[in-house]
Amino acid sequence: MLISAYNPAILGDVLVVVLGADTPTQSTVTKANIVQISNDHQEVIGYNFFGLGAQLGLTNTDRGQVLLSKAQIAFLNQQLSQAGFEPQLMVQQESHFVVGEVLSCDPHPHSDHLHVCQIQVDEAQPLQIVCGAPNIAAGQKVVVAKVGTMMPSGKIIFPSKLRHVESLGMVCSARELALPNAQQRPGILVLPASFSVGAPIDLNNLAQSLKA
């Protein structure tokens, strides 16, 4: 997993790269303009790169998650090597927001409001996702945030367990996707049946697609 984010208005010229989930205790090592962050098992879970926005082609209009190209990843690995860190960043260009189809929606065995859903997002095995939305049902087309997604709020989707049941993603509401005029009441966004399972979703174009 590699999640990168850039928000100069809030953080300044800092590229944040996340490789793993936070732990209660962490340690950092700073070399040159790079901070390496490790978890309580001494596994590297991220880097902060300072002052490289211009060299990476990032701009002051970038806000949030950015998908880094092969050339940008190669440049960052070169910076890591020059600073004395072990280069380890890998390109990840697949879309994290995709169209999913709810194949099944069963009551959670340990909750009176959660559902355990099997959701098809590609040709592989369906994803099991625990969802608490009151309007989710089998047969729906929905927006799925896969593991490794950074939400507009900055929240990162990691594998999790909800009431002891594994959940590998998130079914999104319009509010969670920060769509214009999103309803504030609970409930996932249900897409028209014409949307194709597995198709990547560009949040900037989604609202316009739903109006068409």
Side-chain angles (χ1 to χ4, degrees), residues 68-94:
L68 299 175
S69 68
K70 184 182 295 186
Q72 288 170 320
I73 291 292
F75 173 77
L76 292 176
N77 279 327
Q78 181 184 52
Q79 296 297 307
L80 288 171
S81 180
Q82 290 176 351
F85 292 115
E86 183 71 26
Q88 59 176 305
L89 304 183
M90 304 288 290
V91 178
Q92 293 196 3
Q93 283 290 296
E94 67 174 9

mmCIF file with all atom_site columns, all heavy atoms in Angstrom, residues 68-94:
data_model
loop_
_atom_site.group_PDB
_atom_site.id
_atom_site.type_symbol
_atom_site.label_atom_id
_atom_site.label_alt_id
_atom_site.label_comp_id
_atom_site.label_asym_id
_atom_site.label_entity_id
_atom_site.label_seq_id
_atom_site.pdbx_PDB_ins_code
_atom_site.Cartn_x
_atom_site.Cartn_y
_atom_site.Cartn_z
_atom_site.occupancy
_atom_site.B_iso_or_equiv
_atom_site.pdbx_formal_charge
_atom_site.auth_seq_id
_atom_site.auth_comp_id
_atom_site.auth_asym_id
_atom_site.auth_atom_id
_atom_site.pdbx_PDB_model_num
ATOM 1   N N   . LEU A 1 68 ? 0.995  9.226  -7.579  1.00 0.00 ? 68 LEU A N   1
ATOM 2   C CA  . LEU A 1 68 ? 2.341  9.505  -8.066  1.00 0.00 ? 68 LEU A CA  1
ATOM 3   C C   . LEU A 1 68 ? 2.680  8.630  -9.262  1.00 0.00 ? 68 LEU A C   1
ATOM 4   O O   . LEU A 1 68 ? 2.374  7.437  -9.280  1.00 0.00 ? 68 LEU A O   1
ATOM 5   C CB  . LEU A 1 68 ? 3.353  9.273  -6.944  1.00 0.00 ? 68 LEU A CB  1
ATOM 6   C CG  . LEU A 1 68 ? 3.180  10.148 -5.695  1.00 0.00 ? 68 LEU A CG  1
ATOM 7   C CD1 . LEU A 1 68 ? 4.176  9.724  -4.624  1.00 0.00 ? 68 LEU A CD1 1
ATOM 8   C CD2 . LEU A 1 68 ? 3.348  11.627 -6.031  1.00 0.00 ? 68 LEU A CD2 1
ATOM 9   N N   . SER A 1 69 ? 3.326  9.215  -10.246 1.00 0.00 ? 69 SER A N   1
ATOM 10  C CA  . SER A 1 69 ? 3.729  8.489  -11.451 1.00 0.00 ? 69 SER A CA  1
ATOM 11  C C   . SER A 1 69 ? 4.973  7.658  -11.172 1.00 0.00 ? 69 SER A C   1
ATOM 12  O O   . SER A 1 69 ? 5.637  7.790  -10.133 1.00 0.00 ? 69 SER A O   1
ATOM 13  C CB  . SER A 1 69 ? 4.015  9.479  -12.581 1.00 0.00 ? 69 SER A CB  1
ATOM 14  O OG  . SER A 1 69 ? 5.181  10.239 -12.274 1.00 0.00 ? 69 SER A OG  1
ATOM 15  N N   . LYS A 1 70 ? 5.322  6.809  -12.147 1.00 0.00 ? 70 LYS A N   1
ATOM 16  C CA  . LYS A 1 70 ? 6.537  5.998  -12.032 1.00 0.00 ? 70 LYS A CA  1
ATOM 17  C C   . LYS A 1 70 ? 7.768  6.894  -11.897 1.00 0.00 ? 70 LYS A C   1
ATOM 18  O O   . LYS A 1 70 ? 8.677  6.614  -11.095 1.00 0.00 ? 70 LYS A O   1
ATOM 19  C CB  . LYS A 1 70 ? 6.672  5.104  -13.262 1.00 0.00 ? 70 LYS A CB  1
ATOM 20  C CG  . LYS A 1 70 ? 7.859  4.147  -13.210 1.00 0.00 ? 70 LYS A CG  1
ATOM 21  C CD  . LYS A 1 70 ? 7.962  3.318  -14.484 1.00 0.00 ? 70 LYS A CD  1
ATOM 22  C CE  . LYS A 1 70 ? 6.780  2.398  -14.641 1.00 0.00 ? 70 LYS A CE  1
ATOM 23  N NZ  . LYS A 1 70 ? 6.947  1.484  -15.816 1.00 0.00 ? 70 LYS A NZ  1
ATOM 24  N N   . ALA A 1 71 ? 7.794  8.004  -12.644 1.00 0.00 ? 71 ALA A N   1
ATOM 25  C CA  . ALA A 1 71 ? 8.939  8.913  -12.581 1.00 0.00 ? 71 ALA A CA  1
ATOM 26  C C   . ALA A 1 71 ? 9.012  9.600  -11.215 1.00 0.00 ? 71 ALA A C   1
ATOM 27  O O   . ALA A 1 71 ? 10.112 9.781  -10.661 1.00 0.00 ? 71 ALA A O   1
ATOM 28  C CB  . ALA A 1 71 ? 8.836  9.954  -13.691 1.00 0.00 ? 71 ALA A CB  1
ATOM 29  N N   . GLN A 1 72 ? 7.877  9.981  -10.658 1.00 0.00 ? 72 GLN A N   1
ATOM 30  C CA  . GLN A 1 72 ? 7.867  10.623 -9.340  1.00 0.00 ? 72 GLN A CA  1
ATOM 31  C C   . GLN A 1 72 ? 8.319  9.651  -8.245  1.00 0.00 ? 72 GLN A C   1
ATOM 32  O O   . GLN A 1 72 ? 9.077  10.030 -7.350  1.00 0.00 ? 72 GLN A O   1
ATOM 33  C CB  . GLN A 1 72 ? 6.471  11.163 -9.035  1.00 0.00 ? 72 GLN A CB  1
ATOM 34  C CG  . GLN A 1 72 ? 6.088  12.393 -9.864  1.00 0.00 ? 72 GLN A CG  1
ATOM 35  C CD  . GLN A 1 72 ? 4.623  12.745 -9.712  1.00 0.00 ? 72 GLN A CD  1
ATOM 36  O OE1 . GLN A 1 72 ? 3.751  11.875 -9.671  1.00 0.00 ? 72 GLN A OE1 1
ATOM 37  N NE2 . GLN A 1 72 ? 4.336  14.030 -9.605  1.00 0.00 ? 72 GLN A NE2 1
ATOM 38  N N   . ILE A 1 73 ? 7.864  8.391  -8.332  1.00 0.00 ? 73 ILE A N   1
ATOM 39  C CA  . ILE A 1 73 ? 8.292  7.387  -7.358  1.00 0.00 ? 73 ILE A CA  1
ATOM 40  C C   . ILE A 1 73 ? 9.794  7.145  -7.472  1.00 0.00 ? 73 ILE A C   1
ATOM 41  O O   . ILE A 1 73 ? 10.507 7.024  -6.452  1.00 0.00 ? 73 ILE A O   1
ATOM 42  C CB  . ILE A 1 73 ? 7.521  6.074  -7.559  1.00 0.00 ? 73 ILE A CB  1
ATOM 43  C CG1 . ILE A 1 73 ? 6.045  6.250  -7.159  1.00 0.00 ? 73 ILE A CG1 1
ATOM 44  C CG2 . ILE A 1 73 ? 8.154  4.935  -6.772  1.00 0.00 ? 73 ILE A CG2 1
ATOM 45  C CD1 . ILE A 1 73 ? 5.817  6.467  -5.685  1.00 0.00 ? 73 ILE A CD1 1
ATOM 46  N N   . ALA A 1 74 ? 10.313 7.079  -8.700  1.00 0.00 ? 74 ALA A N   1
ATOM 47  C CA  . ALA A 1 74 ? 11.751 6.883  -8.899  1.00 0.00 ? 74 ALA A CA  1
ATOM 48  C C   . ALA A 1 74 ? 12.539 8.038  -8.288  1.00 0.00 ? 74 ALA A C   1
ATOM 49  O O   . ALA A 1 74 ? 13.596 7.831  -7.664  1.00 0.00 ? 74 ALA A O   1
ATOM 50  C CB  . ALA A 1 74 ? 12.063 6.745  -10.387 1.00 0.00 ? 74 ALA A CB  1
ATOM 51  N N   . PHE A 1 75 ? 12.028 9.251  -8.443  1.00 0.00 ? 75 PHE A N   1
ATOM 52  C CA  . PHE A 1 75 ? 12.691 10.427 -7.866  1.00 0.00 ? 75 PHE A CA  1
ATOM 53  C C   . PHE A 1 75 ? 12.708 10.343 -6.336  1.00 0.00 ? 75 PHE A C   1
ATOM 54  O O   . PHE A 1 75 ? 13.730 10.617 -5.697  1.00 0.00 ? 75 PHE A O   1
ATOM 55  C CB  . PHE A 1 75 ? 11.976 11.699 -8.321  1.00 0.00 ? 75 PHE A CB  1
ATOM 56  C CG  . PHE A 1 75 ? 12.479 12.951 -7.665  1.00 0.00 ? 75 PHE A CG  1
ATOM 57  C CD1 . PHE A 1 75 ? 13.668 13.526 -8.064  1.00 0.00 ? 75 PHE A CD1 1
ATOM 58  C CD2 . PHE A 1 75 ? 11.759 13.557 -6.642  1.00 0.00 ? 75 PHE A CD2 1
ATOM 59  C CE1 . PHE A 1 75 ? 14.148 14.686 -7.444  1.00 0.00 ? 75 PHE A CE1 1
ATOM 60  C CE2 . PHE A 1 75 ? 12.221 14.706 -6.027  1.00 0.00 ? 75 PHE A CE2 1
ATOM 61  C CZ  . PHE A 1 75 ? 13.416 15.272 -6.428  1.00 0.00 ? 75 PHE A CZ  1
ATOM 62  N N   . LEU A 1 76 ? 11.580 9.946  -5.735  1.00 0.00 ? 76 LEU A N   1
ATOM 63  C CA  . LEU A 1 76 ? 11.515 9.833  -4.279  1.00 0.00 ? 76 LEU A CA  1
ATOM 64  C C   . LEU A 1 76 ? 12.444 8.735  -3.765  1.00 0.00 ? 76 LEU A C   1
ATOM 65  O O   . LEU A 1 76 ? 13.111 8.905  -2.733  1.00 0.00 ? 76 LEU A O   1
ATOM 66  C CB  . LEU A 1 76 ? 10.078 9.569  -3.830  1.00 0.00 ? 76 LEU A CB  1
ATOM 67  C CG  . LEU A 1 76 ? 9.085  10.723 -4.032  1.00 0.00 ? 76 LEU A CG  1
ATOM 68  C CD1 . LEU A 1 76 ? 7.688  10.291 -3.630  1.00 0.00 ? 76 LEU A CD1 1
ATOM 69  C CD2 . LEU A 1 76 ? 9.518  11.959 -3.244  1.00 0.00 ? 76 LEU A CD2 1
ATOM 70  N N   . ASN A 1 77 ? 12.501 7.616  -4.458  1.00 0.00 ? 77 ASN A N   1
ATOM 71  C CA  . ASN A 1 77 ? 13.429 6.550  -4.056  1.00 0.00 ? 77 ASN A CA  1
ATOM 72  C C   . ASN A 1 77 ? 14.881 7.015  -4.150  1.00 0.00 ? 77 ASN A C   1
ATOM 73  O O   . ASN A 1 77 ? 15.721 6.639  -3.328  1.00 0.00 ? 77 ASN A O   1
ATOM 74  C CB  . ASN A 1 77 ? 13.205 5.307  -4.912  1.00 0.00 ? 77 ASN A CB  1
ATOM 75  C CG  . ASN A 1 77 ? 12.038 4.468  -4.430  1.00 0.00 ? 77 ASN A CG  1
ATOM 76  O OD1 . ASN A 1 77 ? 11.760 4.401  -3.230  1.00 0.00 ? 77 ASN A OD1 1
ATOM 77  N ND2 . ASN A 1 77 ? 11.353 3.812  -5.349  1.00 0.00 ? 77 ASN A ND2 1
ATOM 78  N N   . GLN A 1 78 ? 15.171 7.840  -5.159  1.00 0.00 ? 78 GLN A N   1
ATOM 79  C CA  . GLN A 1 78 ? 16.518 8.405  -5.286  1.00 0.00 ? 78 GLN A CA  1
ATOM 80  C C   . GLN A 1 78 ? 16.825 9.316  -4.092  1.00 0.00 ? 78 GLN A C   1
ATOM 81  O O   . GLN A 1 78 ? 17.920 9.278  -3.531  1.00 0.00 ? 78 GLN A O   1
ATOM 82  C CB  . GLN A 1 78 ? 16.629 9.193  -6.587  1.00 0.00 ? 78 GLN A CB  1
ATOM 83  C CG  . GLN A 1 78 ? 18.003 9.795  -6.827  1.00 0.00 ? 78 GLN A CG  1
ATOM 84  C CD  . GLN A 1 78 ? 18.026 10.637 -8.093  1.00 0.00 ? 78 GLN A CD  1
ATOM 85  O OE1 . GLN A 1 78 ? 17.194 11.527 -8.271  1.00 0.00 ? 78 GLN A OE1 1
ATOM 86  N NE2 . GLN A 1 78 ? 18.976 10.348 -8.976  1.00 0.00 ? 78 GLN A NE2 1
ATOM 87  N N   . GLN A 1 79 ? 15.820 10.118 -3.691  1.00 0.00 ? 79 GLN A N   1
ATOM 88  C CA  . GLN A 1 79 ? 16.003 10.993 -2.532  1.00 0.00 ? 79 GLN A CA  1
ATOM 89  C C   . GLN A 1 79 ? 16.226 10.175 -1.252  1.00 0.00 ? 79 GLN A C   1
ATOM 90  O O   . GLN A 1 79 ? 17.054 10.526 -0.412  1.00 0.00 ? 79 GLN A O   1
ATOM 91  C CB  . GLN A 1 79 ? 14.778 11.902 -2.368  1.00 0.00 ? 79 GLN A CB  1
ATOM 92  C CG  . GLN A 1 79 ? 14.552 12.873 -3.504  1.00 0.00 ? 79 GLN A CG  1
ATOM 93  C CD  . GLN A 1 79 ? 15.683 13.862 -3.654  1.00 0.00 ? 79 GLN A CD  1
ATOM 94  O OE1 . GLN A 1 79 ? 16.060 14.540 -2.693  1.00 0.00 ? 79 GLN A OE1 1
ATOM 95  N NE2 . GLN A 1 79 ? 16.252 13.958 -4.842  1.00 0.00 ? 79 GLN A NE2 1
ATOM 96  N N   . LEU A 1 80 ? 15.467 9.078  -1.107  1.00 0.00 ? 80 LEU A N   1
ATOM 97  C CA  . LEU A 1 80 ? 15.647 8.209  0.055   1.00 0.00 ? 80 LEU A CA  1
ATOM 98  C C   . LEU A 1 80 ? 17.060 7.635  0.092   1.00 0.00 ? 80 LEU A C   1
ATOM 99  O O   . LEU A 1 80 ? 17.716 7.610  1.144   1.00 0.00 ? 80 LEU A O   1
ATOM 100 C CB  . LEU A 1 80 ? 14.618 7.073  0.025   1.00 0.00 ? 80 LEU A CB  1
ATOM 101 C CG  . LEU A 1 80 ? 13.170 7.445  0.330   1.00 0.00 ? 80 LEU A CG  1
ATOM 102 C CD1 . LEU A 1 80 ? 12.245 6.265  0.042   1.00 0.00 ? 80 LEU A CD1 1
ATOM 103 C CD2 . LEU A 1 80 ? 13.019 7.891  1.781   1.00 0.00 ? 80 LEU A CD2 1
ATOM 104 N N   . SER A 1 81 ? 17.524 7.154  -1.048  1.00 0.00 ? 81 SER A N   1
ATOM 105 C CA  . SER A 1 81 ? 18.861 6.560  -1.125  1.00 0.00 ? 81 SER A CA  1
ATOM 106 C C   . SER A 1 81 ? 19.938 7.584  -0.797  1.00 0.00 ? 81 SER A C   1
ATOM 107 O O   . SER A 1 81 ? 20.868 7.306  -0.030  1.00 0.00 ? 81 SER A O   1
ATOM 108 C CB  . SER A 1 81 ? 19.084 5.978  -2.522  1.00 0.00 ? 81 SER A CB  1
ATOM 109 O OG  . SER A 1 81 ? 20.360 5.395  -2.632  1.00 0.00 ? 81 SER A OG  1
ATOM 110 N N   . GLN A 1 82 ? 19.816 8.786  -1.345  1.00 0.00 ? 82 GLN A N   1
ATOM 111 C CA  . GLN A 1 82 ? 20.813 9.827  -1.103  1.00 0.00 ? 82 GLN A CA  1
ATOM 112 C C   . GLN A 1 82 ? 20.843 10.254 0.358   1.00 0.00 ? 82 GLN A C   1
ATOM 113 O O   . GLN A 1 82 ? 21.893 10.641 0.871   1.00 0.00 ? 82 GLN A O   1
ATOM 114 C CB  . GLN A 1 82 ? 20.530 11.028 -2.008  1.00 0.00 ? 82 GLN A CB  1
ATOM 115 C CG  . GLN A 1 82 ? 20.805 10.767 -3.476  1.00 0.00 ? 82 GLN A CG  1
ATOM 116 C CD  . GLN A 1 82 ? 20.435 11.938 -4.367  1.00 0.00 ? 82 GLN A CD  1
ATOM 117 O OE1 . GLN A 1 82 ? 19.818 12.913 -3.925  1.00 0.00 ? 82 GLN A OE1 1
ATOM 118 N NE2 . GLN A 1 82 ? 20.807 11.863 -5.636  1.00 0.00 ? 82 GLN A NE2 1
ATOM 119 N N   . ALA A 1 83 ? 19.680 10.171 1.030   1.00 0.00 ? 83 ALA A N   1
ATOM 120 C CA  . ALA A 1 83 ? 19.606 10.552 2.439   1.00 0.00 ? 83 ALA A CA  1
ATOM 121 C C   . ALA A 1 83 ? 20.088 9.440  3.370   1.00 0.00 ? 83 ALA A C   1
ATOM 122 O O   . ALA A 1 83 ? 20.278 9.671  4.559   1.00 0.00 ? 83 ALA A O   1
ATOM 123 C CB  . ALA A 1 83 ? 18.173 10.944 2.799   1.00 0.00 ? 83 ALA A CB  1
ATOM 124 N N   . GLY A 1 84 ? 20.271 8.234  2.821   1.00 0.00 ? 84 GLY A N   1
ATOM 125 C CA  . GLY A 1 84 ? 20.734 7.118  3.633   1.00 0.00 ? 84 GLY A CA  1
ATOM 126 C C   . GLY A 1 84 ? 19.650 6.164  4.079   1.00 0.00 ? 84 GLY A C   1
ATOM 127 O O   . GLY A 1 84 ? 19.887 5.292  4.916   1.00 0.00 ? 84 GLY A O   1
ATOM 128 N N   . PHE A 1 85 ? 18.447 6.316  3.495   1.00 0.00 ? 85 PHE A N   1
ATOM 129 C CA  . PHE A 1 85 ? 17.368 5.378  3.765   1.00 0.00 ? 85 PHE A CA  1
ATOM 130 C C   . PHE A 1 85 ? 17.344 4.300  2.680   1.00 0.00 ? 85 PHE A C   1
ATOM 131 O O   . PHE A 1 85 ? 17.864 4.480  1.578   1.00 0.00 ? 85 PHE A O   1
ATOM 132 C CB  . PHE A 1 85 ? 16.005 6.088  3.771   1.00 0.00 ? 85 PHE A CB  1
ATOM 133 C CG  . PHE A 1 85 ? 15.826 7.042  4.923   1.00 0.00 ? 85 PHE A CG  1
ATOM 134 C CD1 . PHE A 1 85 ? 15.687 8.408  4.690   1.00 0.00 ? 85 PHE A CD1 1
ATOM 135 C CD2 . PHE A 1 85 ? 15.766 6.582  6.223   1.00 0.00 ? 85 PHE A CD2 1
ATOM 136 C CE1 . PHE A 1 85 ? 15.498 9.301  5.738   1.00 0.00 ? 85 PHE A CE1 1
ATOM 137 C CE2 . PHE A 1 85 ? 15.578 7.457  7.285   1.00 0.00 ? 85 PHE A CE2 1
ATOM 138 C CZ  . PHE A 1 85 ? 15.446 8.829  7.042   1.00 0.00 ? 85 PHE A CZ  1
ATOM 139 N N   . GLU A 1 86 ? 16.698 3.175  2.998   1.00 0.00 ? 86 GLU A N   1
ATOM 140 C CA  . GLU A 1 86 ? 16.548 2.098  2.019   1.00 0.00 ? 86 GLU A CA  1
ATOM 141 C C   . GLU A 1 86 ? 15.366 2.419  1.106   1.00 0.00 ? 86 GLU A C   1
ATOM 142 O O   . GLU A 1 86 ? 14.232 2.533  1.570   1.00 0.00 ? 86 GLU A O   1
ATOM 143 C CB  . GLU A 1 86 ? 16.285 0.767  2.732   1.00 0.00 ? 86 GLU A CB  1
ATOM 144 C CG  . GLU A 1 86 ? 16.196 -0.424 1.806   1.00 0.00 ? 86 GLU A CG  1
ATOM 145 C CD  . GLU A 1 86 ? 17.543 -0.802 1.208   1.00 0.00 ? 86 GLU A CD  1
ATOM 146 O OE1 . GLU A 1 86 ? 18.577 -0.505 1.841   1.00 0.00 ? 86 GLU A OE1 1
ATOM 147 O OE2 . GLU A 1 86 ? 17.544 -1.392 0.108   1.00 0.00 ? 86 GLU A OE2 1
ATOM 148 N N   . PRO A 1 87 ? 15.570 2.589  -0.208  1.00 0.00 ? 87 PRO A N   1
ATOM 149 C CA  . PRO A 1 87 ? 14.451 2.875  -1.118  1.00 0.00 ? 87 PRO A CA  1
ATOM 150 C C   . PRO A 1 87 ? 13.451 1.721  -1.116  1.00 0.00 ? 87 PRO A C   1
ATOM 151 O O   . PRO A 1 87 ? 13.845 0.555  -1.198  1.00 0.00 ? 87 PRO A O   1
ATOM 152 C CB  . PRO A 1 87 ? 15.121 3.024  -2.483  1.00 0.00 ? 87 PRO A CB  1
ATOM 153 C CG  . PRO A 1 87 ? 16.559 3.253  -2.192  1.00 0.00 ? 87 PRO A CG  1
ATOM 154 C CD  . PRO A 1 87 ? 16.857 2.539  -0.915  1.00 0.00 ? 87 PRO A CD  1
ATOM 155 N N   . GLN A 1 88 ? 12.150 2.028  -1.020  1.00 0.00 ? 88 GLN A N   1
ATOM 156 C CA  . GLN A 1 88 ? 11.168 0.955  -0.963  1.00 0.00 ? 88 GLN A CA  1
ATOM 157 C C   . GLN A 1 88 ? 9.809  1.345  -1.522  1.00 0.00 ? 88 GLN A C   1
ATOM 158 O O   . GLN A 1 88 ? 8.855  0.577  -1.417  1.00 0.00 ? 88 GLN A O   1
ATOM 159 C CB  . GLN A 1 88 ? 10.977 0.511  0.489   1.00 0.00 ? 88 GLN A CB  1
ATOM 160 C CG  . GLN A 1 88 ? 10.509 1.614  1.429   1.00 0.00 ? 88 GLN A CG  1
ATOM 161 C CD  . GLN A 1 88 ? 10.246 1.105  2.825   1.00 0.00 ? 88 GLN A CD  1
ATOM 162 O OE1 . GLN A 1 88 ? 9.473  0.175  3.016   1.00 0.00 ? 88 GLN A OE1 1
ATOM 163 N NE2 . GLN A 1 88 ? 10.903 1.694  3.808   1.00 0.00 ? 88 GLN A NE2 1
ATOM 164 N N   . LEU A 1 89 ? 9.683  2.506  -2.125  1.00 0.00 ? 89 LEU A N   1
ATOM 165 C CA  . LEU A 1 89 ? 8.377  2.949  -2.604  1.00 0.00 ? 89 LEU A CA  1
ATOM 166 C C   . LEU A 1 89 ? 8.042  2.288  -3.932  1.00 0.00 ? 89 LEU A C   1
ATOM 167 O O   . LEU A 1 89 ? 8.886  2.181  -4.824  1.00 0.00 ? 89 LEU A O   1
ATOM 168 C CB  . LEU A 1 89 ? 8.355  4.470  -2.754  1.00 0.00 ? 89 LEU A CB  1
ATOM 169 C CG  . LEU A 1 89 ? 8.723  5.278  -1.498  1.00 0.00 ? 89 LEU A CG  1
ATOM 170 C CD1 . LEU A 1 89 ? 8.575  6.760  -1.769  1.00 0.00 ? 89 LEU A CD1 1
ATOM 171 C CD2 . LEU A 1 89 ? 7.880  4.848  -0.319  1.00 0.00 ? 89 LEU A CD2 1
ATOM 172 N N   . MET A 1 90 ? 6.801  1.842  -4.064  1.00 0.00 ? 90 MET A N   1
ATOM 173 C CA  . MET A 1 90 ? 6.328  1.164  -5.270  1.00 0.00 ? 90 MET A CA  1
ATOM 174 C C   . MET A 1 90 ? 5.176  1.955  -5.878  1.00 0.00 ? 90 MET A C   1
ATOM 175 O O   . MET A 1 90 ? 4.364  2.554  -5.155  1.00 0.00 ? 90 MET A O   1
ATOM 176 C CB  . MET A 1 90 ? 5.851  -0.249 -4.941  1.00 0.00 ? 90 MET A CB  1
ATOM 177 C CG  . MET A 1 90 ? 6.884  -1.115 -4.242  1.00 0.00 ? 90 MET A CG  1
ATOM 178 S SD  . MET A 1 90 ? 8.223  -1.621 -5.343  1.00 0.00 ? 90 MET A SD  1
ATOM 179 C CE  . MET A 1 90 ? 7.356  -2.760 -6.412  1.00 0.00 ? 90 MET A CE  1
ATOM 180 N N   . VAL A 1 91 ? 5.099  1.960  -7.203  1.00 0.00 ? 91 VAL A N   1
ATOM 181 C CA  . VAL A 1 91 ? 4.030  2.680  -7.897  1.00 0.00 ? 91 VAL A CA  1
ATOM 182 C C   . VAL A 1 91 ? 2.694  1.991  -7.647  1.00 0.00 ? 91 VAL A C   1
ATOM 183 O O   . VAL A 1 91 ? 2.582  0.765  -7.731  1.00 0.00 ? 91 VAL A O   1
ATOM 184 C CB  . VAL A 1 91 ? 4.298  2.733  -9.417  1.00 0.00 ? 91 VAL A CB  1
ATOM 185 C CG1 . VAL A 1 91 ? 3.156  3.446  -10.137 1.00 0.00 ? 91 VAL A CG1 1
ATOM 186 C CG2 . VAL A 1 91 ? 5.618  3.434  -9.694  1.00 0.00 ? 91 VAL A CG2 1
ATOM 187 N N   . GLN A 1 92 ? 1.678  2.784  -7.321  1.00 0.00 ? 92 GLN A N   1
ATOM 188 C CA  . GLN A 1 92 ? 0.311  2.288  -7.195  1.00 0.00 ? 92 GLN A CA  1
ATOM 189 C C   . GLN A 1 92 ? -0.606 3.263  -7.920  1.00 0.00 ? 92 GLN A C   1
ATOM 190 O O   . GLN A 1 92 ? -0.872 4.353  -7.433  1.00 0.00 ? 92 GLN A O   1
ATOM 191 C CB  . GLN A 1 92 ? -0.102 2.150  -5.725  1.00 0.00 ? 92 GLN A CB  1
ATOM 192 C CG  . GLN A 1 92 ? 0.667  1.077  -4.996  1.00 0.00 ? 92 GLN A CG  1
ATOM 193 C CD  . GLN A 1 92 ? 0.016  0.668  -3.686  1.00 0.00 ? 92 GLN A CD  1
ATOM 194 O OE1 . GLN A 1 92 ? -1.048 1.147  -3.333  1.00 0.00 ? 92 GLN A OE1 1
ATOM 195 N NE2 . GLN A 1 92 ? 0.651  -0.227 -2.971  1.00 0.00 ? 92 GLN A NE2 1
ATOM 196 N N   . GLN A 1 93 ? -1.071 2.856  -9.080  1.00 0.00 ? 93 GLN A N   1
ATOM 197 C CA  . GLN A 1 93 ? -1.852 3.754  -9.921  1.00 0.00 ? 93 GLN A CA  1
ATOM 198 C C   . GLN A 1 93 ? -3.311 3.334  -10.075 1.00 0.00 ? 93 GLN A C   1
ATOM 199 O O   . GLN A 1 93 ? -4.079 4.003  -10.742 1.00 0.00 ? 93 GLN A O   1
ATOM 200 C CB  . GLN A 1 93 ? -1.215 3.854  -11.311 1.00 0.00 ? 93 GLN A CB  1
ATOM 201 C CG  . GLN A 1 93 ? 0.020  4.736  -11.354 1.00 0.00 ? 93 GLN A CG  1
ATOM 202 C CD  . GLN A 1 93 ? -0.301 6.194  -11.180 1.00 0.00 ? 93 GLN A CD  1
ATOM 203 O OE1 . GLN A 1 93 ? -0.977 6.790  -12.007 1.00 0.00 ? 93 GLN A OE1 1
ATOM 204 N NE2 . GLN A 1 93 ? 0.164  6.796  -10.105 1.00 0.00 ? 93 GLN A NE2 1
ATOM 205 N N   . GLU A 1 94 ? -3.708 2.221  -9.464  1.00 0.00 ? 94 GLU A N   1
ATOM 206 C CA  . GLU A 1 94 ? -5.101 1.809  -9.639  1.00 0.00 ? 94 GLU A CA  1
ATOM 207 C C   . GLU A 1 94 ? -6.034 2.745  -8.894  1.00 0.00 ? 94 GLU A C   1
ATOM 208 O O   . GLU A 1 94 ? -5.675 3.345  -7.878  1.00 0.00 ? 94 GLU A O   1
ATOM 209 C CB  . GLU A 1 94 ? -5.303 0.376  -9.130  1.00 0.00 ? 94 GLU A CB  1
ATOM 210 C CG  . GLU A 1 94 ? -5.148 0.221  -7.646  1.00 0.00 ? 94 GLU A CG  1
ATOM 211 C CD  . GLU A 1 94 ? -5.501 -1.180 -7.170  1.00 0.00 ? 94 GLU A CD  1
ATOM 212 O OE1 . GLU A 1 94 ? -5.708 -2.053 -8.018  1.00 0.00 ? 94 GLU A OE1 1
ATOM 213 O OE2 . GLU A 1 94 ? -5.564 -1.372 -5.945  1.00 0.00 ? 94 GLU A OE2 1
#
